[in-house]
Amino acid sequence: ATSSGDPNSGRATEPSLPVLLPPVGGSLRSRAQRGSFLQQFTMECTALESLIEMGFPQNRAEKALALTGNQGIEPAMDWLMEHENDPDLDDPFVPPQGHVLSTEEPPEGRTPEAVQGGTDPTLEELTEEDNRRPLSEEEKREQTKRMMELISQKQREREEREKRESIEREKQRRKQGQELSLIRQKLQEDEMKKLAEERRREKMEEKLAKQRVREKIERDKAERAKKFGGCSSASQASTPPEPVAPAPVPSSPSQEPPVKREYDQCRIQVRLLDGTSLTQTFRAKEQLAAVRLYVELNRKDGGEEPFILLTSFPRHVFTEEDMEKPLQELGLVPSAVLIVAKKGNS
């Protein structure tokens, strides 16, 4: 035996026994290739015909068989079920370019001539085992029935999956609605807390202002008493005792005319469209817009359209300009009853 070298790599390979081909080797090699080709073509035609008989278009059937490596009807069916929504599913199948079988290196210990000669006994055994007869009509019907059952099972599984997904989406929608309702309720509570805090702060400021006024009045009283008391004692020491007219006495708070009482709070009752009412206490200097905001946040009569406020006796409809005026100026102190009416019905 002699050693042969690889002409492409320039390195020597292991020595191998010479391959003796009989004169009819070429014809045997051609028969093996034709047998393998005919067996594969028969399988492809049988699977393609079965898929077409099931109602699949020819382009889809050819593409499914080619992309699953011509492994049979079931892999092709699985591929069609998974890719039934592909936009290019009905396009003709185009085999990929650039795949050349002759570029593969021969197995170790064999020359390219031996591979091309088709003398591998394993290939001949596989060819003889794969030469099976075509499916009969009964086998085709049985296979078609099995495939239709597989299609029905796949469809049921898909319907169940879509049903579960729909239920999950509905749960998510309800959950988001509940979260949105809680957020809206929290915003309303924060707004009411903010208004209450502002009222408390303004009441404290008014209390401090009143205390400063009282302190100033007390200081003024003390200064007037000190001033008039010193003058009367000096006049009594310098003049003889004579009947004199009584000295003017400074006016005291008890002798002053009664002053109209000022209220710092007012109680407002609002009658809604359905007959129910809301009652709330506001500051006298608070604007009428605060009453309208309170009604918008707390009304339960189901009305969402714009409304106006009015008094029944004396009848007066409050305008947008009145919303900026304090309650005291509008004559709603110390208490008043307001009526909610639809806009345009006044």
Side-chain angles (χ1 to χ4, degrees):
T2 59
S3 62
S4 61
D6 189 350
N8 295 330
S9 60
R11 58 184 178 87
T13 60
E14 296 180 1
S16 59
L17 295 175
V19 179
L20 299 177
L21 297 177
V24 295
S27 60
L28 290 175
R29 183 168 63 253
S30 299
R31 285 200 302 272
Q33 292 177 353
R34 285 198 301 270
S36 176
F37 173 76
L38 289 174
Q39 188 269 342
Q40 183 179 4
F41 179 75
T42 303
M43 290 180 60
E44 291 180 5
C45 290
T46 303
L48 180 61
E49 291 173 358
S50 300
L51 290 174
I52 293 176
E53 289 178 1
M54 293 179 190
F56 292 102
Q58 183 174 356
N59 289 341
R60 294 191 182 187
E62 292 177 354
K63 182 178 292 186
L65 289 172
L67 295 179
T68 55
N70 297 314
Q71 296 179 3
I73 297 179
E74 293 189 6
M77 288 287 300
D78 293 337
W79 188 91
L80 286 171
M81 295 298 294
E82 293 176 359
H83 298 81
E84 62 179 351
N85 295 324
D86 291 356
D88 58 346
L89 185 60
D90 292 322
D91 296 344
F93 175 71
V94 179
Q97 301 294 330
H99 182 67
V100 182
L101 293 178
S102 61
T103 56
E104 297 179 357
E105 294 183 359
E108 184 176 358
R110 299 183 60 200
T111 61
E113 292 79 3
V115 175
Q116 295 177 0
T119 58
D120 190 355
T122 305
L123 178 60
E124 295 180 358
E125 293 176 0
L126 292 176
T127 304
E128 293 176 358
E129 292 176 359
D130 290 339
N131 286 333
R132 295 177 298 178
R133 61 181 178 80
L135 296 176
S136 63
E137 293 297 329
E138 183 178 357
E139 289 173 343
K140 286 183 179 180
R141 287 194 298 270
E142 186 67 24
Q143 192 174 32
T144 302
K145 181 179 178 181
R146 188 170 64 253
M147 291 301 102
M148 295 304 295
E149 292 176 354
L150 179 61
I151 291 175
S152 300
Q153 180 182 357
K154 295 286 185 180
Q155 290 178 349
R156 287 194 298 270
E157 292 177 356
R158 183 180 62 183
E159 291 175 357
E160 292 177 358
R161 183 175 66 253
E162 292 177 352
K163 184 177 180 180
R164 289 194 300 270
E165 292 175 356
S166 177
I167 294 174
E168 187 65 24
R169 286 195 298 270
E170 180 66 18
K171 289 181 180 179
Q172 291 293 333
R173 187 187 66 79
R174 292 182 180 180
K175 182 179 179 181
Q176 292 176 359
Q178 293 176 357
E179 292 176 354
L180 184 61
S181 178
L182 292 176
I183 292 173
R184 188 182 296 111
Q185 182 179 359
K186 187 176 184 302
L187 290 176
Q188 292 179 357
E189 292 176 356
D190 293 343
E191 184 68 21
M192 295 302 296
K193 288 180 181 179
K194 183 179 179 181
L195 292 175
E197 184 64 26
E198 291 179 357
R199 292 194 191 104
R200 285 195 294 269
R201 185 173 63 252
E202 291 177 357
K203 287 180 181 180
M204 182 62 66
E205 292 176 356
E206 290 180 1
K207 184 178 180 181
L208 294 176
K210 289 179 180 179
Q211 184 177 356
R212 288 194 294 269
V213 171
R214 284 195 295 268
E215 291 176 356
K216 187 175 183 303
I217 291 174
E218 293 297 331
R219 288 196 301 269
D220 293 342
K221 287 181 181 180
E223 290 177 359
R224 286 199 299 270
K226 182 178 180 181
K227 179 178 179 181
F228 287 104
C231 293
S232 61
S233 60
S235 61
Q236 288 178 2
S238 59
T239 58
E242 291 180 357
V244 295
V249 180
S251 61
S252 62
S254 60
Q255 296 176 351
E256 295 178 356
V259 181
K260 185 178 179 180
R261 182 179 177 183
E262 294 185 0
Y263 297 91
D264 58 347
Q265 291 185 352
C266 64
R267 185 179 178 85
I268 301 295
Q269 182 182 7
V270 182
R271 294 180 183 175
L272 302 177
L273 297 173
D274 60 350
T276 59
S277 61
L278 298 174
T279 304
Q280 182 65 20
T281 302
F282 298 89
R283 290 182 294 102
K285 297 182 179 179
E286 204 164 356
Q287 298 178 352
L288 184 59
V291 180
R292 182 173 63 181
L293 176 61
Y294 175 78
V295 174
E296 291 175 352
L297 294 177
N298 295 275
R299 62 185 303 187
K300 304 295 184 182
D301 56 352
E304 297 182 357
E305 65 275 2
F307 62 90
I308 59 174
L309 297 175
L310 56 92
T311 56
S312 59
F313 184 79
R315 182 175 178 80
H316 178 71
V317 179
F318 295 100
T319 62
E320 291 295 331
E321 296 179 356
D322 295 333
M323 295 296 167
E324 306 297 330
K325 297 179 181 180
L327 301 176
Q328 187 175 15
E329 182 179 344
L330 296 173
L332 302 178
V333 177
S335 63
V337 177
L338 300 179
I339 300 175
V340 173
K342 293 183 180 179
K343 250 184 180 179
N345 296 341
S346 60

